[in-house]
Amino acid sequence: MARDLRGFIKLLEDRGQLRRISASVSADLEIAEIANRMLQVGGPALLFENVQGAEFPVAINLMGTVERICWAMNLNKPEELEDLGKKLALLQQPKPPKKLSQAIDFGKVLFDVLKAKPSRNFFPPCQQVILEGDEVDLKKIPMIRPYRGDAGQIITLGLVITKDCETGTPNVGVYRLQLQSHNTMTVHWLSVRGGARHLRKAAQMGKKLEIAIALGVDPLIIMAAATPIPVDLSEWLFAGLYGGSGVQLAKCKTLDLEVPADSEIVLEGTITPGEVLPDGPFGDHMGYYGGVEDSPLIHFHCMTHRRDPIYLTTFSGRPPKEEAMMAIALNRIYTPILRQQVSEIRDFFLPMEALSYKAAIISIDKAYPGQARRAALAFWSALPQFTYTKFVIVVDKEINIRDPRQVVWAISSKVDPVRDVFILPETPFDSLDFASEKVGLGGRMGIDATTKMYPETDHQWGEPLESDPAMAVKVSQRWSEYGLIDINLQEVDANKFGYEMYCPLPPGA
């Protein structure tokens, strides 16, 4: 697969997972409305070739299913993502190998790191067209406005690249940007993010912060930039590890920064510390509009792009959205790292419906009383991205944590709310969570849905019901004889069990 956006679009088209839309559409609300309907049903990626008032086509929903996320990472199924997590776990906390096989595995990972080092492209496609000064017009980019209450047009899938003005260490993040004028945008980032730290340091040194925005990059690089794993490696190296070979970088035309050479569009600018404008409101991942916040203002003085560039975008909101699919994939990558941090955890799952981080279901191989509570507390402190997880449900290893029916059964049959629910009040929390009484502070709940043992309970736990093993084998062998071979026991229609699994469409749809 070609390591750029165009190569991925071709791959999706070849596999029947891309629709080209030739009808005239508006970037204001219409593209997002169409894409949202595709996201609700796991539909194909979309390439809008005729956007009103725009010279560039718009690609959206490229990462709208877990399957397509896997393809972007040169994999075939989600389970393979855990192999990436094993590599990162080895790099994060390397341990002296005790066996020859462990030494060989660690050697393979180090070799992968060498292959993953980025290289330099001196004739990058992203600089086929160069616009500077008064030629820069951000309004030529067909930025979308997803919701009617949004303050304006936004960039959502741009790589925001800055570097520490003292050490030269780069940071690559994915932050929302709001169009303010033909050559300015505000960037919305949390104070703990790398870009914000670089801006504070630039302010201390009395310097402007150089900033580049790379649009339309290989989705694999976006996944690398969105991976908040505390390993002392650059996002470029992450992308190389994910893809199996190094990312080609190019030096910006006017900045001392590097960007992916195959980017569709690159914006080059600076931030003057202290210069801000109101940013927002916008629809966010919680499913509500966020607030208005003074955010750093970027002045762009250079824009480069490929010939006939493609603009890649997405938008936030209540799941399913592309960000939720990315989170599901990252969940798989985290799993080996979490097992390394908390040894009793067998598996964990962050349901998309819980915004991919608000609720976690973890399974453990329970060996002693109180272990479920210990596992929940350890989970909250294992990785920084779990700080804002509100609910942790702990179940036995036999429970399929990705089957909500089994999880609800475990909670209903194994939990005494007085004994098995514990709450931590007023902990640091997500400021976007409107459920919290105080901004930035909120409670967390742990639920022990494991089988209880003494002294957790004083009475004998019941014996679970299960099929007779011999009869189960006999029935399997005679299944075709019963005339039931046409019934696929692996496919379950949740609607037949009282659930209402459907995609609610707006009036008139």
Side-chain angles (χ1 to χ4, degrees):
M1 189 185 88
R3 290 288 300 275
D4 63 7
L5 175 63
R6 297 179 186 210
F8 187 59
I9 287 174
K10 183 180 186 304
L11 180 141
L12 294 183
E13 194 160 28
D14 290 345
R15 296 184 179 181
Q17 284 288 301
L18 178 84
R19 293 290 182 89
R20 292 178 179 268
I21 311 297
S22 59
S24 174
V25 296
S26 172
D28 189 59
L29 303 180
E30 189 173 7
I31 286 179
E33 176 67 23
I34 297 167
N36 192 46
R37 298 190 185 193
M38 288 294 100
L39 285 160
Q40 296 295 323
V41 297
L46 302 172
L47 184 64
F48 293 95
E49 299 177 314
N50 186 10
V51 181
Q52 295 168 11
E55 301 174 10
F56 311 154
V58 173
I60 197 169
N61 195 24
L62 267 60
M63 295 182 284
T65 65
V66 176
E67 180 181 49
R68 295 202 292 269
I69 294 279
C70 290
W71 292 350
M73 303 183 77
N74 296 331
L75 303 174
N76 294 311
K77 52 186 180 180
E79 292 79 6
E80 295 177 69
L81 291 163
E82 291 197 23
D83 292 334
L84 288 173
K86 290 175 183 176
K87 291 182 185 179
L88 298 178
L90 277 175
L91 291 169
Q92 181 181 347
Q93 290 183 338
K95 299 177 181 178
K98 297 180 179 179
K99 300 178 182 178
L100 178 61
S101 60
Q102 293 176 334
I104 292 173
D105 287 342
F106 189 63
K108 288 178 179 178
V109 172
L110 291 179
F111 182 64
D112 287 340
V113 171
L114 290 175
K115 290 193 300 181
K117 294 181 67 175
S119 59
R120 176 66 67 86
N121 187 326
F122 295 96
F123 302 98
C126 67
Q127 294 175 0
Q128 290 171 342
V129 178
I130 301 171
L131 305 170
E132 295 189 68
D134 293 338
E135 294 180 303
V136 174
D137 186 0
L138 302 178
K139 295 182 179 179
K140 290 183 178 179
I141 301 172
M143 303 178 202
I144 65 171
R145 187 170 72 102
Y147 302 104
R148 60 183 179 179
D150 286 348
Q153 295 170 284
I154 52 171
I155 287 175
T156 51
L157 277 184
L159 296 183
V160 180
I161 303 159
T162 59
K163 72 176 182 179
D164 188 305
C165 58
E166 183 179 15
T167 67
T169 303
N171 179 78
V172 184
V174 181
Y175 312 118
R176 188 191 72 219
L177 300 110
Q178 176 183 342
L179 181 68
Q180 298 286 353
S181 73
H182 76 283
N183 65 356
T184 62
M185 301 189 80
T186 44
V187 57
H188 185 266
W189 51 32
L190 298 176
S191 60
V192 297
R193 300 304 185 193
R197 293 197 304 270
H198 290 173
L199 180 58
R200 287 195 295 271
K201 181 167 281 191
Q204 292 170 1
M205 300 180 69
K207 296 181 179 180
K208 292 184 179 182
L209 179 69
E210 294 188 335
I211 183 167
I213 316 295
L215 306 174
V217 301
D218 179 1
L220 182 145
I221 303 177
I222 295 173
M223 287 296 296
T227 304
I229 299 176
V231 180
D232 191 19
L233 297 172
S234 75
E235 288 83 1
W236 304 133
L237 201 54
F238 265 134
L241 283 171
Y242 285 178
S245 61
V247 176
Q248 285 202 336
L249 300 176
K251 193 172 184 301
C252 286
K253 295 300 293 184
T254 65
L255 305 175
D256 188 21
L257 295 173
E258 291 182 316
V259 296
D262 289 317
S263 304
E264 294 291 320
I265 305 167
V266 175
L267 306 176
E268 302 180 16
T270 59
I271 299 176
T272 300
E275 191 173 3
V276 297
L277 280 180
D279 184 284
F282 287 101
D284 66 39
H285 65 283
M286 295 291 292
Y288 304 98
Y289 290 102
V292 179
E293 187 175 345
D294 284 344
S295 298
L297 182 67
I298 310 170
H299 290 270
F300 292 104
H301 55 261
C302 182
M303 173 178 172
T304 70
H305 61 79
R306 298 175 69 144
R307 297 187 188 93
D308 303 317
I310 300 169
Y311 176 59
L312 176 64
T313 191
T314 190
F315 57 99
S316 293
R318 184 175 172 178
K321 296 291 183 287
E322 289 184 74
E323 60 192 3
M325 299 302 108
M326 294 169 66
I328 290 172
L330 291 172
N331 184 165
R332 291 280 191 176
I333 295 172
Y334 297 152
T335 301
I337 299 170
L338 185 60
R339 287 196 195 109
Q340 183 168 280
Q341 300 271 29
V342 188
S343 58
E344 57 254 81
I345 291 180
R346 282 295 191 90
D347 199 1
F348 89 108
F349 181 52
L350 301 169
M352 174 184 70
E353 293 76 14
L355 307 175
S356 302
Y357 75 104
K358 286 295 182 182
I361 306 162
I362 63 178
S363 62
I364 64 171
D365 188 0
K366 187 171 179 177
Y368 56 86
Q371 189 176 10
R373 184 170 298 210
R374 178 194 180 281
L377 293 170
F379 174 87
W380 275 313
S381 59
L383 295 171
Q385 55 268 32
F386 302 147
T387 301
Y388 296 154
T389 301
K390 249 198 289 201
F391 305 100
V392 175
I393 303 166
V394 187
V395 299
D396 295 312
K397 64 180 181 180
E398 294 80 14
I399 298 295
N400 179 359
I401 60 175
R402 291 172 177 79
D403 184 344
R405 299 171 304 167
Q406 293 193 37
V407 174
V408 170
W409 175 81
I411 294 172
S412 302
S413 66
K414 301 188 180 191
V415 172
D416 178 338
V418 174
R419 176 193 62 200
D420 300 326
V421 175
F422 63 96
I423 294 175
L424 305 179
E426 295 197 336
T427 60
F429 221 62
D430 184 357
S431 60
L432 292 174
D433 194 325
F434 295 116
S436 299
E437 185 175 352
K438 300 176 182 178
V439 176
L441 283 177
R444 306 186 203 185
M445 176 187 288
I447 301 174
D448 177 0
T450 61
T451 302
K452 303 306 179 293
M453 58 176 62
Y454 182 80
E456 293 172 329
T457 181
D458 290 330
H459 60 81
Q460 186 68 31
W461 204 270
E463 183 178 348
L465 304 177
E466 58 182 20
S467 299
D468 178 77
M471 183 54 68
V473 171
K474 179 179 178 180
V475 168
S476 295
Q477 292 171 341
R478 298 193 62 197
W479 195 249
S480 60
E481 188 180 338
Y482 303 145
L484 300 174
I485 195 66
D486 60 309
I487 297 178
N488 187 347
L489 299 180
Q490 303 303 314
E491 293 182 1
V492 180
D493 183 355
N495 291 312
K496 293 180 180 178
F497 298 99
Y499 293 93
E500 294 183 5
M501 308 290 288
Y502 68 99
C503 170
L505 295 176

